[in-house]
Amino acid sequence: MSNPRPYPVIPVIYDTDPGVDDAMALYFALAHPAIEVLGITTTFGNVTVEQAATNALYLSAIAGKNVPVTKGVATPWCRPPGVPPAHIHGVDGLGNLPQRVPVDRSLDPRSSAQFIVDMARARPGEITLVAVGPLGNLSLALKLEPNLPQLLREVIVMGGTILEPGNVSPVAEANIWNDPHAADQVFTAGWKLTMVGLDVTHRVILPVALFKKIADHHQHVATDTLHHAVGFYAGHYGSLYPHVAEIHGCFAHDLLAFIYLVNPELFSLERGRIRVATQGLALGQTIMKRKELADYPQAGWGKDVPVTQVCMEVQAEACNAVCEKTLMAPWLAR
Ligand code: BDR
Ligand code: CA
């Protein structure tokens, strides 16, 4: 579980739509000694962007972490807006919390896209952007600053799928499907990009019992909140997947983007050019060109499409262990 990177702490902007697994991932990032969260940029997705921003402020405040939070895009770039999936994350995005403690925090006034651009310009080549919601903030940031791919160190996206069936259609994953035009921009922008999609996130199941253990250990409102939210979320996955119900757990989705960041050796990668289907039955499908030698008559697959690293396999038990070790450590403000 060592940090294999040549520098001690990785500065990160976390682009998110919290969301239960987004909350898990946030707490992992805040708890991990090798990650410095510079800001939380919110977007619509699991909830409205207003609720996402409220949740990001709330989750960081109750954990005692004073991280800037911004509000970002409220709707997809081109397709009509959808309805947030309250049956998965709850109406409030955190499993319908019975109550919230009062917190006194307010938003950074910048838009999420402007915040990303400002931070990247201020620290060129240093920042990793971890994006775990629909990709509208990143695509807007690209419009504000076309050199963003050179200014960011790396982009890690939780989204998409190559071989695993989709979760919103037979071929599409929710984050990409929610804003496929923005996603296609992100996959063709030319940054160092890693996709952490359903091929790996559907292999890692986190039991609710782990979050109970973490909550019992810390006796803190933040980990109680997470435990509650994960219990609700697990109910959804259990109703769909018998092998998940057996464990009484949920998929690790967004959390895996951060585990990839700190423990890339737990993942097997394939490299290929990726485009996103922006219309028709395959809307939101992430299609990878897996045969580089093929010279297709279909336009859009030339060498000008940048190569993405895609996580195809993962050491699931080791990921569970990294999650447990990180969240059991003393990271919460008292
Ligand atoms: C992704 O969609 C959202 O529901 C989750 O937060 C995750 O980012 C999984 O498909
Ligand atoms: Ca998410």
Side-chain angles (χ1 to χ4, degrees):
M1 240 190 274
S2 61
N3 168 25
R5 300 194 178 234
Y7 47 89
V9 175
I10 309 163
V12 163
I13 295 174
Y14 181 41
D15 191 58
T16 177
D17 58 335
V20 178
D21 57 319
D22 306 71
M24 262 183 224
L26 173 64
Y27 280 176
F28 178 90
L30 292 172
H32 201 288
I35 300 173
E36 179 192 9
V37 182
L38 300 176
I40 306 170
T41 55
T42 61
T43 177
F44 79 94
N46 294 325
V47 286
T48 64
V49 70
E50 284 75 21
Q51 188 68 49
T54 299
N55 289 349
L57 283 173
Y58 184 71
L59 290 164
S60 51
I62 60 176
K65 308 286 178 183
N66 197 8
V67 180
V69 176
T70 61
K71 195 164 75 170
V73 297
T75 57
W77 184 14
C78 297
R79 67 168 298 192
V83 178
H87 60 295
I88 305 177
H89 295 269
V91 174
D92 66 350
L94 296 176
N96 299 328
L97 290 173
Q99 62 196 26
R100 294 188 181 215
V101 298
V103 295
D104 185 20
R105 292 270 322 276
S106 46
L107 288 172
D108 184 294
R110 288 170 284 185
S111 71
S112 292
Q114 191 63 54
F115 181 87
I116 291 167
V117 168
D118 289 352
M119 296 301 284
R121 284 179 180 153
R123 299 179 65 170
E126 285 182 39
I127 297 172
T128 296
L129 196 136
V130 177
V132 301
L135 293 167
N137 289 336
L138 259 188
S139 93
L140 187 55
L142 274 169
K143 289 179 195 113
L144 296 175
E145 174 50 276
N147 288 327
L148 197 59
Q150 288 73 51
L151 293 173
L152 288 174
R153 181 185 175 88
E154 183 174 359
V155 174
I156 301 172
V157 166
M158 188 282 130
T161 185
I162 303 300
L163 299 178
E164 177 74 0
N167 58 4
V168 285
S169 86
V171 294
E173 181 281 328
N175 287 339
I176 306 301
W177 180 80
N178 268 321
D179 198 343
H181 299 84
D184 193 50
Q185 271 235 323
V186 167
F187 280 105
T188 54
W191 24 41
K192 179 180 178 195
L193 178 61
T194 304
M195 175 178 132
V196 181
L198 301 183
D199 300 287
V200 288
T201 68
H202 275 184
R203 303 287 163 267
V204 183
I205 304 168
L206 300 163
V208 177
L210 171 60
F211 293 91
K212 179 172 183 339
K213 182 174 171 182
I214 292 164
D216 288 348
H217 174 71
H218 287 294
Q219 302 275 316
H220 192 286
V221 60
T223 43
D224 287 347
T225 299
L226 187 61
H227 177 214
H228 170 92
V230 172
F232 182 93
Y233 193 55
H236 166 73
Y237 281 112
S239 71
L240 291 182
Y241 300 89
H243 70 292
V244 179
E246 213 168 283
I247 298 169
H248 188 38
C250 58
F251 296 131
H253 291 317
D254 296 348
L255 172 65
L256 278 203
F258 280 111
I259 297 191
Y260 171 77
L261 175 70
V262 289
N263 291 99
E265 74 282 1
L266 300 181
F267 297 78
S268 311
L269 300 175
E270 192 174 324
R271 291 164 58 79
R273 305 177 201 279
I274 291 192
R275 297 298 307 270
V276 177
T278 53
Q279 56 187 337
L281 267 184
L283 185 73
Q285 181 176 11
T286 40
I287 308 165
M288 178 162 62
K289 183 181 184 189
R290 303 181 79 193
K291 270 189 167 179
E292 196 45 60
L293 292 180
D295 189 11
Y296 298 120
Q298 165 68 48
W301 292 103
K303 295 218 183 318
D304 53 320
V305 179
V307 169
T308 294
Q309 307 194 116
V310 181
C311 295
M312 295 301 289
E313 287 173 17
V314 60
Q315 295 176 39
E317 272 179 36
C319 288
N320 271 271
V322 172
C323 173
E324 177 167 351
K325 180 175 175 196
T326 304
L327 286 173
M328 288 293 275
W331 63 279
L332 286 159
R334 294 278 164 189

